[in-house]
Amino acid sequence: MYVLLIFSSILILCANGGLTVKCPETPSKWCETKEIAQACNVIEQCQLYIWKVQDKNDKVNLTLYYETLCPDCRKFMTTELWKAYQTIFDIVNITLVPYGNAHETYQPATQLYQYVCQHGAQECLGNVIHTCVLNYYPTIQQHMPFVYCTESSSGDVTTIASQCAEKSKMDFNKIFNCTQSKLGNQLQHIYAVQTENLQPAHKYVPWITINGQHTEEMEHEAERNLIKLICKSYKVV
């Protein structure tokens, strides 16, 4: 569509190794190869809007299932995950799922879900705070500094979250209001369903999947050297 707004569908000929490449009349084909893009005079647009997007799809997809007060989760997130985020961000998509070993029960009277967490009510609050942060600040660049800050700090969950939100330039009032709302409750339910539907079922946290797959060997390697695991998985067909 963007090409249609910029270029007409005039046929353009160019020489390529003795062959003549003709610009297709159909704009959807203009970025199929660099030679065709050159013939259509859309190299820059293809690079910006098509090829870079395709390159992103080659990234390793890392999903971390965790709970906010789990000591092993906090250690992994503030060491291996944080180092990977800082050093090889260009080759990995990081997805965070804050729920872990919690359990939910639906309450018909309130039409809300009630949560019981492994490390108590403060962890349930921490989980839903992270959930609301991920909702309002969805890019990894936005929420990862906040997550690192909270997971590397000890103390009252609300106080720490407020301080970390300020450091991360987030609106903590909006975040906290979300934790007390039906929206926050429903968002946490989505993570509960995602966690409970894992195949194989998760047995502990942190629980790591690479491109949707999990093995014990992969888990142990991630905890020892996540950067090495991601690099080994990069563009492996």
Side-chain angles (χ1 to χ4, degrees):
M1 183 61 70
Y2 67 90
V3 179
L4 284 172
L5 296 174
I6 303 174
F7 301 95
S8 68
S9 59
I10 298 173
L11 297 181
I12 303 171
L13 301 179
C14 71
N16 177 44
L19 299 176
T20 299
V21 176
K22 191 176 183 180
C23 179
E25 292 185 5
T26 306
S28 63
K29 297 181 180 295
W30 289 358
C31 295
E32 284 189 348
T33 69
K34 289 186 178 180
E35 290 75 22
I36 294 175
Q38 184 178 354
C40 298
N41 197 26
V42 293
I43 284 282
E44 183 179 346
Q45 287 73 23
C46 291
Q47 178 65 33
L48 184 60
Y49 297 108
I50 303 297
W51 297 332
K52 276 193 175 181
V53 173
Q54 291 173 344
D55 288 345
K56 288 181 181 178
N57 293 335
D58 290 333
K59 288 185 176 183
V60 176
N61 294 308
L62 165 69
T63 303
L64 170 64
Y65 298 82
Y66 71 101
E67 54 197 28
T68 52
L69 296 187
C70 161
D72 289 338
C73 295
R74 291 163 73 93
K75 179 181 177 181
F76 177 77
M77 296 171 78
T78 57
T79 55
E80 294 303 316
L81 186 66
W82 183 244
K83 286 188 293 185
Y85 168 72
Q86 289 185 306
T87 57
I88 56 170
F89 171 74
D90 288 343
I91 68 168
V92 61
N93 293 317
I94 299 172
T95 300
L96 304 178
V97 182
Y99 183 76
N101 296 325
H103 296 281
E104 69 171 7
T105 306
Y106 182 67
Q107 305 296 317
T110 60
Q111 296 186 333
L112 296 172
Y113 292 90
Q114 182 176 344
Y115 295 96
V116 176
C117 298
Q118 185 174 9
H119 299 92
Q122 284 283 290
E123 181 168 77
C124 286
L125 176 58
N127 289 350
V128 75
I129 287 174
H130 278 213
T131 294
C132 290
V133 165
L134 295 176
N135 178 64
Y136 288 124
Y137 302 93
T139 70
I140 191 70
Q141 296 95 324
Q142 290 175 312
H143 60 247
M144 191 63 191
F146 172 87
V147 169
Y148 173 79
C149 179
T150 56
E151 293 303 287
S152 59
S153 305
S154 298
D156 177 72
V157 167
T158 303
T159 302
I160 294 298
S162 177
Q163 294 170 348
C164 291
E166 184 177 358
K167 290 179 183 177
S168 305
K169 296 180 172 55
M170 294 178 174
D171 184 345
F172 183 68
N173 287 332
K174 180 169 69 172
I175 295 166
F176 190 76
N177 288 338
C178 169
T179 69
Q180 307 299 304
S181 70
K182 186 172 184 178
L183 171 64
N185 189 264
Q186 291 295 322
L187 291 171
Q188 184 73 135
H189 170 63
I190 291 172
Y191 286 142
V193 172
Q194 186 176 345
T195 303
E196 294 302 327
N197 285 338
L198 277 167
Q199 293 294 334
H202 88 285
K203 301 175 183 177
Y204 49 78
V205 286
W207 185 269
I208 296 103
T209 66
I210 298 289
N211 295 327
Q213 303 299 313
H214 174 91
T215 66
E216 290 297 306
E217 181 182 0
M218 182 188 300
E219 179 79 29
H220 294 151
E221 186 169 356
E223 294 178 5
R224 289 194 306 268
N225 192 333
L226 181 60
I227 292 175
K228 180 180 177 182
L229 174 62
I230 292 171
C231 290
K232 186 171 68 174
S233 304
Y234 182 54
K235 289 188 176 179
V236 173
V237 178

